[in-house]
Amino acid sequence: MIKRFYILTWLLFGLEVFAQQGTSSPYSFYGIGDVRFKGTLENRAMGGITSHGDSIHVNLQNPAYYSALRLTSFSVGATFNAGRIESNTESSKAQRTALDYLALVIPTKKIGFSFGLIPFSSVGYNVYNVSSDAILRQYSGSGGINKVYFGSSYAITPNFSIGADVQYNFGKIETKAINSFSDVEYATREINVSIASGVNFNIGARYQKLIDKKYLFYTSAVYRPGGQLTLSNDRTLTLINWAGLGTVETPIGDPVNYSVPDDKMKLPTQFDLGIGYGKNSVWSIGANILYQSTSDFGARYNTIDNVQFEQSVRFSLGGYFIPNYKSFSNYLARIVYRAGVRHENTGLVINNKSITDTAFTTGFGFPIRGTFSNLNVLFEMGSRGTQSNNLVRERYLNVGFSLSFNDQWFQKRKYD
């Protein structure tokens, strides 16, 4: 058991997450980037509902579910993204593969503990334009915010539990802007780097009730008070010899470093309420509403005239179906079939147009023979943004895979 714990700890914290570029969205320029984490792949396959949890699947959105597990569970998920970005005049394609989460949950009789690593948001864009006065501009960005968390929950009764987790947010965001003037020999390159750090926490509760000994009613609530990120900023300006997009940037002379004041950015307050109903281990359907006070957001350095932030709301609906989880002869009958839909007002407003995100999801849970572990697959097809108001629409397909390794760690052996 101790050996397994050390191996999982090494896997959890020995990975380099700064190198990830988990998005190619131009909308990731704003705020802290594109918020990627929307729950485990199992929950995302059901439209991103946060209210569902069982005894073998990790729920990372509501810490009250940690004590609901009956087996120690190590879960890891990753997503491949293929997308097309379309404006009124042109389009481009992009592909990304990125880690979604690493998490370990250790339950005891009434208490559950969990810790893990979650790449929370990503910055990743590369856009350019030629203005009417023949100025070529290129903007690019990379990096993001990651979080390490530790949480615990307590089952007050078999049907009711509460939980909380604390999260340390950290990361690096680098943005670059190049301006080339037609009548000037050299271009200018400005690089801004922000090192982010901060702490916030979640508190959650869950309640379930068995009806007629086979139907299950459940509800959940999660509250995250608004946190704060401290941004340590640095700016460098350099003259470069540059022939245009995709060419080598050769510095001319030494770069000039500018002193940029450190800044603070508010993380939005979040409230999530969910409800569901189903037949235990056969089918279930649930719904969620998630509210975030993203109107407190801002740009990392200064205010951009055509960009505002408003309150964000997300609606999720989804569920699962298992034909016969007790079947020994028919493997297909033991597969978990999941589906859902979600619609979100992201809280970002550009050119007086609210940016929305809508997706349809489906997925499958494949039990691994002879164990309580499982392999989960997600398919998510959606669209974000609009081509009106001189903006762009993103059409995307996400294919995700997760492994959940479940085992009994704290079982007293009768024989060695």
Side-chain angles (χ1 to χ4, degrees):
M1 181 182 70
I2 299 298
K3 182 179 179 181
R4 282 180 293 183
F5 177 80
Y6 283 137
I7 291 174
L8 293 180
T9 303
W10 177 82
L11 286 172
L12 200 58
F13 296 106
L15 294 179
E16 176 60 63
V17 294
F18 284 111
Q20 287 200 124
Q21 187 168 323
T23 183
S24 56
S25 170
Y27 294 120
S28 67
F29 172 83
Y30 307 100
I32 58 173
D34 185 10
V35 177
R36 289 176 40 229
F37 181 73
K38 294 180 172 65
T40 63
L41 266 68
E42 299 94 295
N43 285 21
R44 284 173 58 193
M46 296 184 287
I49 62 173
T50 62
S51 55
H52 177 73
D54 54 37
S55 61
I56 61 172
H57 292 100
V58 176
N59 185 332
L60 296 179
Q61 293 157 291
N62 188 341
Y65 280 93
Y66 299 151
S67 58
L69 292 184
R70 293 296 173 260
L71 299 171
T72 298
S73 180
F74 175 72
S75 186
V76 55
T79 299
F80 168 78
N81 169 269
R84 176 184 290 273
I85 302 173
E86 302 171 332
S87 68
N88 288 325
T89 58
E90 56 185 291
S91 66
S92 62
K93 295 181 180 179
Q95 296 180 349
R96 295 288 186 274
T97 300
L99 174 73
D100 289 325
Y101 53 87
L102 286 163
L104 177 66
V105 181
I106 305 173
T108 60
K109 187 176 181 179
K110 288 188 175 183
I111 301 176
F113 301 95
S114 180
F115 62 94
L117 172 66
I118 298 173
F120 179 65
S121 71
S122 290
V123 175
Y125 59 89
N126 193 351
V127 298
Y128 71 99
N129 73 326
V130 179
S131 64
S132 57
D133 50 358
I135 301 176
L136 175 61
R137 294 182 172 90
Q138 179 183 355
Y139 304 95
S140 60
S142 61
I145 305 298
N146 308 285
K147 61 174 59 181
V148 176
Y149 78 91
F150 175 81
S152 180
S153 69
Y154 177 71
I156 298 175
T157 71
N159 294 328
F160 179 67
S161 62
I162 57 175
D165 59 38
V166 60
Q167 305 162 0
Y168 174 69
N169 305 291
F170 64 99
K172 175 182 177 182
I173 298 174
E174 179 175 314
T175 60
K176 180 173 67 174
I178 298 178
N179 294 304
S180 179
F181 301 86
S182 58
D183 56 348
V184 178
E185 182 178 3
Y186 301 123
T188 61
R189 182 180 67 190
E190 180 184 297
I191 296 178
N192 291 292
V193 177
S194 295
I195 305 297
S197 62
V199 176
N200 68 301
F201 64 94
N202 294 336
I203 55 175
R206 61 177 285 269
Y207 173 78
Q208 65 179 31
K209 181 176 178 59
L210 194 61
I211 302 173
D212 295 333
K213 297 183 179 181
K214 60 180 178 180
Y215 294 100
L216 191 67
F217 168 80
Y218 55 90
T219 184
S220 71
V222 183
Y223 174 67
R224 184 182 72 190
Q228 186 171 261
L229 284 178
T230 299
L231 302 176
S232 178
N233 301 317
D234 180 70
R235 178 175 295 166
T236 302
L237 186 63
T238 312
L239 286 176
I240 61 172
N241 193 351
W242 184 63
L245 186 68
T247 60
V248 177
E249 303 167 17
T250 305
I252 305 298
D254 296 327
V256 179
N257 294 319
Y258 286 89
S259 177
V260 181
D262 293 345
D263 199 3
K264 295 185 183 297
M265 177 180 288
K266 290 183 178 180
L267 293 175
T269 299
Q270 178 178 296
F271 183 73
D272 186 336
L273 182 64
I275 192 171
Y277 182 78
K279 189 174 182 180
N280 202 20
S281 301
V282 179
W283 62 268
S284 179
I285 186 169
N288 276 88
I289 180 170
L290 174 68
Y291 167 85
Q292 292 191 101
S293 60
T294 45
S295 60
D296 293 333
F297 256 172
R300 286 183 294 275
Y301 294 107
N302 45 47
T303 302
I304 304 174
D305 292 337
N306 66 331
V307 176
Q308 299 87 33
F309 291 90
E310 62 184 3
Q311 310 298 354
S312 171
V313 181
R314 186 177 77 202
F315 300 95
S316 300
L317 176 68
Y320 74 86
F321 172 67
I322 308 174
N324 184 2
Y325 75 98
K326 295 181 179 180
S327 176
F328 290 98
S329 58
N330 187 353
Y331 180 80
L332 295 179
R334 293 192 291 120
I335 293 176
V336 184
Y337 299 87
R338 304 181 175 104
V341 61
R342 62 173 172 81
H343 175 76
E344 178 180 6
N345 176 3
T346 65
L348 178 62
V349 182
I350 307 177
N351 295 341
N352 297 317
K353 185 70 175 179
S354 296
I355 305 301
T356 60
D357 187 348
T358 302
F360 297 91
T361 64
T362 187
F364 307 92
F366 300 99
I368 299 175
R369 292 183 184 273
T371 71
F372 290 100
S373 302
N374 50 81
L375 167 67
N376 300 281
V377 181
L378 159 75
F379 298 95
E380 183 178 45
M381 181 175 292
S383 174
R384 176 167 57 173
T386 176
Q387 291 172 253
S388 63
N389 292 41
N390 294 318
L391 300 177
V392 296
R393 180 190 300 275
E394 301 175 27
R395 302 183 189 274
Y396 59 84
L397 172 65
N398 293 325
V399 181
F401 298 90
S402 72
L403 279 170
S404 181
F405 300 99
N406 304 307
D407 198 3
Q408 182 71 51
W409 280 22
F410 300 101
Q411 183 177 16
K412 185 177 181 180
R413 299 179 183 271
K414 294 183 178 180
Y415 305 100
D416 290 327

